[in-house]
Amino acid sequence: MAAFWKLLHDGVDAVADMPGERWDAEPGFANAPAYTRRGGWLDHVDRFDADFFGISARQAATMDPRQRLLLELSWEALEDARVVPERCQGSRTGVFIGAMWDDYAALAQRYAAGARSPYAMSGLHRAVLANRISHVLRLRGPSLVVDTGQSSSLVAVHLAAESLLRGECDVALVGGANLVLDPGSGATSAAFGGLSPSGRSATFDAEADGYARGEGGGVVVLKPLEAALADGDRIHCVILGSAVNNDGGGETLTTPDQEGQEDVIRRAHASAGARAADVQHVELHGTGTFVGDPVEAMALGAVFGRGDPAALRVGSVKTGIGHLEGAAGIAGLIKTVLCIRNRQLVPSLHFERPNPRIPLEELGLRVQTETGPWPEPDRPLMAGVSSFGMGGTNCHLVLAEPPAPDPRPPDPQPDAAAASRPIPWALSGRSREALRDQARRLLDQLREHPARDLDIGFSLATTRTAFDRRAVLLSTDRAGFERGLAALAAGQPAPGLVEGGTGPRDRVAFMFPGQGSQWTGMAVPLLETSPVFREQMSECADAFAPYLDRPLLDALDDPATLKRSDLVQPVLFAVMVSLAALWESYGVRPSAVVGHSQGEVAAAYIAGALTLPDAARIVALRSRLLMRLAHRGGMLSIVLPVEEVVNHLPDGLTIAAVNGPGSTVVSGDLDALVALGERYDAEGVRARRVAIDYASHSHQVEAIRAEMLEALAPVRPVATRVPFHSTVTGGPLAGEELTTEYWYRNLRCEVRFAPAVRTIDCGVLVEVSPNPVLTGGVRDTVPEAAVLGTLRRSEGGLDRFLTSLSEVYAAGSTVAWDRYFAGTGARVVDLPTYAFQRQRHWLDTSERVADLPAKERDEVTRAVDEAPPDPVELVRRQVATLLGHHDPGAADMTPTFAELGFDSPLMVELSSRLAAATGLRLPVTVVFNHPTPALLAERLRAELRPPDPLSTMLDRLTETLKNPPADAAERAEIAARMAALAGQVAAWAEAPSADGVAGRLRTASVDELLSFIDGELG
């Protein structure tokens, strides 16, 4: 929209010669009048981002390019309206599209690729211009195409407004598109006499001789004013009223009528409740034709007539971009909206002296010839927009500037600490290339239209879709953001840039480690910067108060804490569950939880199986009892598979934990542990002591069993809200099983962490701890998953958490970024719209329909003379062709047709193509019944195998015996044949094969068939 406004503001004439490649291959083009090649042309109308909209290359090639253009425009219109398109799914959003001509359909009818395509019906039908948008965006409001000739798109606006007022829809996407793709429509326009021989539109000028055609489209978002105000929407202008009529009796069908135009304008003002005297500007239909211009001027003078200097300003967008025909009305509307928004009128081009048949001064009209202010900018701006169809259907809209928004409260003044925090900018694209282009676009906009960093981050979080390829920029200043955007655009790393994404991964698992991730001062900064974290920590401190000899929060920053298990474990539990609460506050909620050793208590609490008082009891009393085992043993972490460790384990030691394919922990008596460690050191195997002085998960725990069962007797577990994956059993548990006995086993038995992790069906696993200690083993256990941490040693503040949050988002999970900006005073600002990655999609023009009959006969002749085709290669080539692959080898034979992107039309066409290529009578359901190309090829192989004589004889005799002949001689002949057949079947039974009759006999035993033959002979 910015580019369009610049074109209008600068008075640029966009009419030029047609791109050379457009019609060169079309017959008759050389004979077309030269002026039919003048117009306002779009570049690259053959290009489209089919992947973005989930459309196959084959289907895209058959789609009317107007469908493709309107899909992109609709997406951009919603983004410009600061609406996330995916949030419209299932809504009562209507789609109203104005269009005329069917150039691409005319092209498709000339070429075999279009004539044969299963997508021709949906791709070329004009009605689908609207329906395609409704389908792709999953909209449930009215969806229709309006064709009233050149007034089509403005009539669509009128109908959409009426639909909104009646409550048929809540929001409407309204627009039109026009593409000049067929020389036939140019010849028709020339024959009609409307095209300008000079190749320009000079509306109301003495030299006006018609119009130049133009290409383009536009889509606007309409909403009832009351609803838009209530929702805080940005409103560009208001449609006060509109009207539609028909000339109903001009001299000819295509001759405009002054009374009809006066009537539609007056009706529009009556609908708007507005006076004609309040209108300062009218966007003309303004075709520059000999008949049309004077009629329109006279009608305007009759309705708006006034004297200078209060003359009504008029102009036509057609003078700069050509006549967009079915989309002309939406082009005029958007131009007028931009003039209201920017409070400037723009020039109508090619006006030097008025048409002598148009007395401008007498009529009270003035053609706007330069960019400048509205005639009376201090009063509310009001304008009209006209659009007239050649069959007499007229439309007029009355527009006004929107009501002034309520005064905004002043932005809150952030404190010094908040001002120094990094701001997240979340970007995404369907592909890596699109993400790069999004960064490039945003960088360009920053340099041209600066905005607050906070506002840009908030706008990215709230008005843009999160696609598969993602990146987050974290910075405290503009220079950092610019460096990060430049690096992202170039595919380079940069400080504060987190990039990733291989697809959506909404299922996240939380992992809670046992003792070992602690460090002095862990998470202390979050107590100051995160209310959510601080509140949960306070609740934990209250829950632990009955069991500790000092306040839990005081122990966070005390080095002595690390020396006491009865303090370390309660503090670790509190930090971990408070970090979990922080994750959840940003919308990252677990779909599963798993805990390692004492981390299972945190996992059970987050899963909902334990109350906070019960969890605190388990952690506090468990850790207190463990101190009874101090100095008797220890634990050793070994970088070897458990299978190799267990075979060389000395007496006094047991397997304590299996953390991954190459990570094992042993536990037990101190002397044996030291000796084992020394042996591994000598062998060059990495083995390190765990920083505790007791032997959890070993026989030594049995000494405190009775006391532990008694201490934890009051615990009452319940069913979980979140699936809990037990490292005691190695799989999921419902929750009620987490009794006192379970928590003893949790301390005594081997930690089956790796087996438990393998049972979790989540694409992202987050270690919720002050320092990641599990992530290495988990990455080895489930290499296909994204395995991430939360805080790191010496990085315990919001900066580190935001980086981890960015990593989770970049991995494909949902993050509620908007919550970061709550209370900051951040505002929504304009952002670049999506960077579509367009590729060429066009009809195959190598075969003309006129050439098909003889060619098809030749193909049939060749097929008869040639050997039967190889079924695998036949299916592979046809699948590749239908999917739009140029290389047959690109077609994989193993996935299902649905996985390859086949829909019903493609499946039907595939069966038809295979039938034509093989000569087989294949039912249309053959593809549906054989769900992969490989299975379909096997079916064809069986069908194409020539029958052996034995099988043929068996078929004939079986049919005959169903109705045996009455003639004795014929029965004797059958008996003789059956005797011969019996001998052949007996011989075959000694050496069965997979061909011919063997396949028949696999449905019945040989003995059964021989008995049948003997019975018939007898």
Side-chain angles (χ1 to χ4, degrees):
M1 194 157 64
F4 186 44
W5 173 248
K6 180 173 174 54
L7 179 146
L8 296 170
H9 180 275
D10 296 348
V12 175
D13 184 359
V15 174
D17 289 333
M18 176 182 288
E21 72 279 1
R22 184 68 68 89
W23 285 349
D24 286 350
E26 290 301 311
F29 174 62
N31 300 323
Y35 60 83
T36 63
R37 308 184 193 189
R38 293 284 294 174
W41 310 111
L42 292 183
D43 293 331
H44 309 305
V45 294
D46 57 342
R47 298 184 186 180
F48 174 57
D49 193 344
D51 290 341
F52 179 87
F53 294 103
I55 295 170
S56 69
R58 173 81 187 287
Q59 187 174 7
T62 317
M63 283 173 61
D64 188 326
R66 291 179 301 175
Q67 286 188 30
R68 298 159 14 177
L69 175 61
L70 286 166
L71 279 174
E72 293 185 0
L73 288 172
S74 297
W75 188 275
E76 291 177 339
L78 289 170
E79 287 193 329
D80 181 75
R82 300 167 177 176
V83 174
V84 179
E86 63 184 7
R87 295 178 191 164
C88 297
Q89 293 184 10
S91 68
R92 292 199 308 161
T93 298
V95 180
F96 300 79
I97 299 297
M100 57 183 285
W101 301 109
D102 288 305
D103 282 24
Y104 203 63
L107 289 180
Q109 290 170 3
R110 294 183 201 145
Y111 297 105
R116 290 172 169 171
S117 173
Y119 297 112
M121 176 72 78
S122 60
L124 303 174
H125 200 295
R126 199 182 311 170
V128 184
L129 291 172
N131 302 158
R132 180 78 67 179
I133 298 167
S134 299
H135 170 73
V136 169
L137 298 180
R138 301 292 188 262
L139 310 177
R140 298 195 179 277
S143 183
L144 55 98
V145 170
V146 178
D147 185 356
T148 57
Q150 291 80 354
S151 60
S152 298
S153 57
L154 206 65
V155 172
V157 176
H158 166 79
L159 294 176
E162 293 291 317
S163 180
L164 288 165
L165 291 174
R166 288 194 301 271
E168 289 179 340
C169 55
D170 301 322
V171 179
L173 291 170
V174 194
N178 192 61
L179 295 175
V180 183
L181 307 176
D182 177 23
S185 64
T188 300
S189 297
F192 174 67
L195 293 188
S196 165
S198 63
R200 64 176 189 170
S201 300
T203 304
F204 281 18
D205 188 78
E207 300 299 322
D209 57 359
Y211 60 86
R213 300 182 77 190
E215 293 185 319
V219 173
V220 298
V221 181
L222 300 186
K223 195 173 184 179
L225 178 60
E226 184 178 355
L229 291 171
D231 293 341
D233 295 329
R234 178 180 56 166
I235 305 170
H236 294 298
C237 84
V238 178
I239 300 175
L240 296 179
S242 62
V244 172
N245 76 353
N246 192 276
D247 284 348
E251 293 183 10
T252 68
L253 174 66
T254 59
T255 302
D257 179 74
Q258 179 180 333
E259 290 185 5
Q261 292 185 12
E262 290 178 25
D263 177 68
V264 78
I265 296 171
R266 289 193 170 98
R267 288 178 180 274
H269 280 83
S271 168
R275 299 183 310 150
D278 294 331
V279 175
Q280 299 163 271
H281 170 74
V282 167
E283 170 65 18
L284 302 169
H285 180 62
T287 54
T289 56
F290 179 78
V291 175
D293 277 9
V295 169
E296 184 171 10
M298 294 298 178
L300 290 172
V303 176
F304 296 102
R306 61 187 74 166
D308 235 14
L312 177 70
R313 306 301 171 91
V314 297
S316 172
V317 73
K318 295 177 180 65
T319 62
I321 64 173
H323 191 343
L324 268 60
E325 300 169 324
I330 200 69
L333 172 64
I334 292 174
K335 169 197 166 181
T336 309
V337 169
L338 290 173
C339 288
I340 291 174
R341 173 182 169 182
N342 292 283
R343 303 190 73 81
Q344 284 189 309
L345 295 177
V346 295
S348 187
L349 307 184
H350 314 306
F351 182 82
E352 296 180 3
R353 58 190 180 90
N355 187 325
R357 301 177 64 206
I358 303 176
L360 290 176
E361 291 188 10
E362 180 182 329
L363 296 173
L365 307 177
R366 178 184 297 177
V367 177
Q368 183 74 25
T369 58
E370 59 186 7
T371 298
W374 286 63
E376 300 175 71
D378 295 333
R379 67 181 176 88
L381 306 184
M382 190 177 296
V385 182
S386 291
S387 193
F388 308 136
M390 66 177 180
T393 298
N394 307 313
C395 183
H396 189 82
L397 267 61
V398 181
L399 309 181
E401 65 178 303
D406 293 334
R408 297 192 319 184
D411 293 340
Q413 295 298 318
D415 55 40
S420 64
R421 295 174 197 159
I423 298 170
W425 285 10
L427 295 89
S428 70
R430 288 272 194 214
S431 64
R432 187 182 298 276
E433 293 74 19
L435 177 59
R436 303 275 184 266
D437 282 350
Q438 289 295 113
R440 196 171 294 112
R441 283 188 172 197
L442 184 54
L443 182 59
D444 291 343
Q445 180 165 307
L446 282 182
R447 293 167 176 169
E448 294 182 11
H449 305 286
R452 291 195 312 166
D453 298 345
L454 196 68
D455 294 340
I456 294 171
F458 179 61
S459 302
L460 287 167
T462 58
T463 70
R464 289 298 181 262
T465 301
F467 295 108
D468 293 351
R469 301 297 310 191
R470 301 179 181 184
V472 180
L473 287 170
L474 294 167
S475 181
T476 58
D477 56 41
R478 176 56 56 89
F481 282 119
E482 290 189 356
R483 285 193 299 270
L485 287 173
L488 179 58
Q492 300 295 326
L497 171 60
V498 176
E499 186 179 359
T502 56
R505 288 168 162 170
D506 285 337
R507 291 178 57 81
V508 178
F510 282 0
M511 305 183 296
F512 300 90
Q515 193 167 331
S517 65
Q518 68 274 9
W519 49 278
T520 301
M522 54 185 169
V524 168
L526 286 175
L527 291 172
E528 298 297 325
T529 57
S530 172
V532 171
F533 183 82
R534 183 171 58 251
E535 181 179 350
Q536 183 65 54
M537 285 292 292
S538 296
E539 292 181 12
C540 289
D542 293 341
F544 280 108
Y547 307 105
L548 305 182
D549 58 6
R550 59 182 300 188
L552 181 140
L553 295 180
D554 292 350
L556 273 176
D557 210 13
D558 184 354
T561 300
L562 304 184
K563 300 177 182 178
R564 293 179 50 185
S565 293
D566 62 333
L567 279 179
V568 169
Q569 294 194 9
V571 169
L572 268 178
F573 171 90
V575 168
M576 290 192 297
V577 300
S578 299
L579 288 175
L582 187 56
W583 278 109
E584 294 194 41
S585 73
Y586 283 97
V588 183
R589 296 184 174 84
S591 297
V593 295
V594 64
H596 190 289
S597 190
Q598 72 113 10
E600 276 209 309
V601 187
Y605 169 64
I606 295 301
L610 297 176
T611 64
L612 184 56
D614 277 356
R617 170 182 285 271
I618 295 170
V619 172
L621 298 183
R622 177 186 186 274
S623 61
R624 185 182 298 173
L625 288 169
L626 276 173
M627 295 185 69
R628 298 261 307 276
L629 305 178
H631 312 302
R632 300 183 190 178
M635 304 179 78
L636 185 72
S637 178
I638 306 161
V639 184
L640 281 176
V642 65
E643 296 81 8
E644 295 186 31
V645 174
V646 73
N647 291 333
H648 303 91
L649 205 59
D651 293 340
L653 298 181
T654 57
I655 299 297
V658 180
N659 295 335
S663 178
T664 307
V665 179
V666 299
S667 177
D669 298 341
L670 193 57
D671 292 343
L673 200 72
V674 171
L676 182 64
E678 292 174 348
R679 192 189 84 194
Y680 279 128
D681 285 343
E683 295 175 357
V685 176
R686 186 183 175 193
R688 62 176 181 82
R689 286 284 300 274
V690 179
I692 57 175
D693 61 354
Y694 50 84
S696 296
H697 312 289
S698 78
H699 61 281
Q700 292 188 9
V701 175
E702 295 170 7
I704 60 172
R705 180 178 185 276
E707 292 177 84
M708 188 172 181
L709 294 179
E710 181 180 357
L712 303 187
V715 172
R716 295 291 181 268
V718 296
T720 63
R721 297 186 303 270
V722 177
F724 174 89
H725 291 256
S726 167
T727 54
V728 174
T729 66
L733 290 180
E736 295 96 334
E737 305 95 327
L738 306 183
T739 60
T740 303
E741 180 62 33
Y742 178 87
W743 294 113
Y744 168 72
R745 293 171 61 206
N746 162 270
L747 185 58
R748 169 63 183 88
C749 298
E750 170 189 318
V751 180
R752 303 183 65 201
F753 186 73
V757 166
R758 291 192 186 97
T759 66
I760 297 174
D761 180 22
C762 291
V764 177
L765 293 92
V766 177
E767 181 176 340
V768 184
S769 72
N771 187 58
V773 294
L774 300 174
T775 53
V778 175
R779 287 192 183 102
D780 291 341
T781 303
V782 283
E784 68 279 6
V787 184
L788 306 165
T790 302
L791 303 182
R792 290 183 182 175
R793 194 173 303 279
S794 302
E795 295 182 60
L798 189 60
D799 291 16
R800 178 63 245 177
F801 177 77
L802 284 175
T803 300
S804 297
L805 193 64
S806 301
E807 291 170 345
V808 166
Y809 174 78
S813 296
T814 300
V815 171
W817 287 112
D818 57 308
R819 298 179 188 176
Y820 178 84
F821 300 93
T824 64
R827 316 278 184 178
V828 174
V829 296
D830 286 337
L831 297 172
T833 53
Y834 187 79
F836 292 111
Q837 303 298 295
R838 301 180 180 94
Q839 295 181 349
R840 176 175 168 81
H841 297 283
W842 204 253
L843 289 168
D844 179 359
T845 57
S846 61
E847 290 182 310
R848 295 181 60 81
V849 171
D851 301 331
L852 282 181
K855 185 168 185 177
E856 287 177 341
R857 284 198 298 272
D858 291 341
E859 289 176 347
V860 171
T861 302
R862 284 198 305 273
V864 171
D865 293 339
E866 293 172 355
D870 176 65
V872 173
E873 285 307 306
L874 175 62
V875 172
R876 188 192 304 278
R877 289 179 178 276
Q878 293 291 0
V879 167
T881 299
L882 290 175
L883 290 176
H885 299 314
H886 297 294
D887 178 13
D892 193 344
M893 300 289 283
T894 54
T896 66
F897 285 107
E899 291 170 342
L900 289 171
F902 271 70
D903 53 13
S904 295
L906 278 191
M907 291 182 176
V908 171
E909 182 172 3
L910 178 57
S911 65
S912 300
R913 283 171 169 255
L914 293 175
T918 61
L920 297 173
R921 297 182 62 184
L922 297 174
V924 294
T925 58
V926 68
V927 181
F928 296 91
N929 294 334
H930 298 79
T932 70
L935 291 174
L936 181 60
E938 283 302 309
R939 161 68 187 271
L940 292 185
R941 189 184 301 281
E943 292 279 348
L944 291 170
R945 185 180 298 117
D948 60 276
L950 185 61
S951 180
T952 301
M953 182 181 292
L954 177 63
D955 285 337
R956 290 178 178 176
L957 289 174
T958 302
E959 288 299 316
T960 303
L961 291 173
K962 290 179 181 177
N963 297 287
D967 185 80
E970 291 184 21
R971 289 200 301 274
E973 176 66 20
I974 292 172
R977 292 189 179 187
M978 293 295 282
L981 180 61
Q984 293 183 57
V985 170
W988 172 84
E990 297 297 324
S993 73
D995 294 327
V997 75
R1000 291 286 310 277
L1001 295 180
R1002 281 184 177 166
T1003 61
S1005 69
V1006 176
D1007 289 340
E1008 288 174 337
L1009 184 57
L1010 291 174
S1011 297
F1012 167 75
I1013 293 174
D1014 289 340
E1016 293 298 328
L1017 291 173

